[in-house]
Amino acid sequence: VRYPEKQKAETHEKILKAAARSFRERGSDSEGIGGVMKELGLTKGGFYRHFESKGDLYTKSLSQAFIEVAERMRQVAESAPKGQELRAIIEHYLSVEHVNNPGCGCVLATLGPDISRQPAAVRKKLNQQMHVYRDAFAPYFPGRNIEEKRARFAVLFSSMAGVVIAARALMDKRDRERLLTAARSWFIQSFAGEK
Amino acid sequence: VRYPEKQKAETHEKILKAAARSFRERGSDSEGIGGVMKELGLTKGGFYRHFESKGDLYTKSLSQAFIEVAERMRQVAESAPKGQELRAIIEHYLSVEHVNNPGCGCVLATLGPDISRQPAAVRKKLNQQMHVYRDAFAPYFPGRNIEEKRARFAVLFSSMAGVVIAARALMDKRDRERLLTAARSWFIQSFAGEK
DNA sequence: TGTACATCAGTGAACGCGCGTTCACTGATGTAC
DNA sequence: TGTACATCAGTGAACGCGCGTTCACTGATGTAC
């Protein structure tokens, strides 16, 4: 069956998005191509018209995920009152919603350790995406120059990712909220200069 | 072949330690029972005389890992000058050595996201271990009462885990060292009250 | 406008591989007599 | 002290399963004439 005009591009993007969610929710194994394609009402055989391999999908879908997350953060920052952008970003990142929705959340917080186990080529590509991600936020950071802003970005975001990871590992709901609340007020105080 | 007196206990512990390292280095998949047993010069068939299943090994070896890491941290704290314990812990945790040796490093920083994907029973057991881990350090934390100390412990350790994860994801050695240095001085300043 | 043909996204069965698990077997050690 | 026997850690082959990948095939659409 030959399929309608623009369908291929649509399917391609659907696979990308579904995979980006699946990898973040379930890890880089444990669902697989068959599962993702099935979710979309397709069969796994067709996958290879869109991607070279599972590794190819992994790299591309995570790149996509970095972009999506950055875009969302940018919106949060833009809709915050002037001077409160960083605070808004911190509150958004350390929210219960983020912790409860890994599928559309920060890549570092869902697949960080996994990324460091990838072959060099994959890590390289993802490192580039991380830099794009970083440079989208550097403007909101305090610091005398770009180097200082970048350094603060790196410390804050990696720290917050750790908090989200720990919160997700905790089973007790109240422990989780307590951790998030404590972290929120501490990060805001330290980085956004308030309580 | 019937094997010498205490050999079983020794083998049991060897498997536990090798698995604790393997899981942290390569993730919860990607080496497997066969590989771990082979490393020890054994065949995989014998594995089931020691553990019920791979999941059983996972839980027990990570519990072991929590204990080992806590013990090491305790040593670091004890050999530090009076009043400098927390600072010593931070420096040790955020060292290049820790980043370069995931196999004997912090469990949260190697398998944090993985833990949150485990079935409830496994998470429960690991949560208990995390509490033991926490209570071993609470004494070194500032705070008016045990609750405050625990809260600070949770924020500091989860943040530091995030930094180690991010450092491991970075390919460029200098980026990595820059992140660690920035994080070290920031955490020490914030938690251990110095620069 | 109509017709013949090439294209190629998607199908569904099959293949290969690795891994977790099982199981019949081995044989040196510990124990009972 | 000596002998017969039970035990059980470890072996190695086999099994089943799921997953990534391949491939011959389909047939509606787009294109060439």
Side-chain angles (χ1 to χ4, degrees), chain B residues 125-144:
Chain B
K125 180 107 191 282
L126 293 176
N127 269 232
Q128 287 167 4
Q129 288 301 334
M130 286 167 73
H131 284 156
V132 171
Y133 187 90
R134 178 190 66 189
D135 290 341
F137 294 109
Y140 300 115
F141 278 75
R144 289 183 300 257

Side-chain angles (χ1 to χ4, degrees), chain B residues 1-2 5 31-34 44-45 48 53-54:
Chain B
V1 188
R2 175 144 189 181
E5 188 75 44
E31 179 174 52
I33 289 169
K44 58 183 174 165
Y48 294 87
S53 65
K54 196 188 183 186

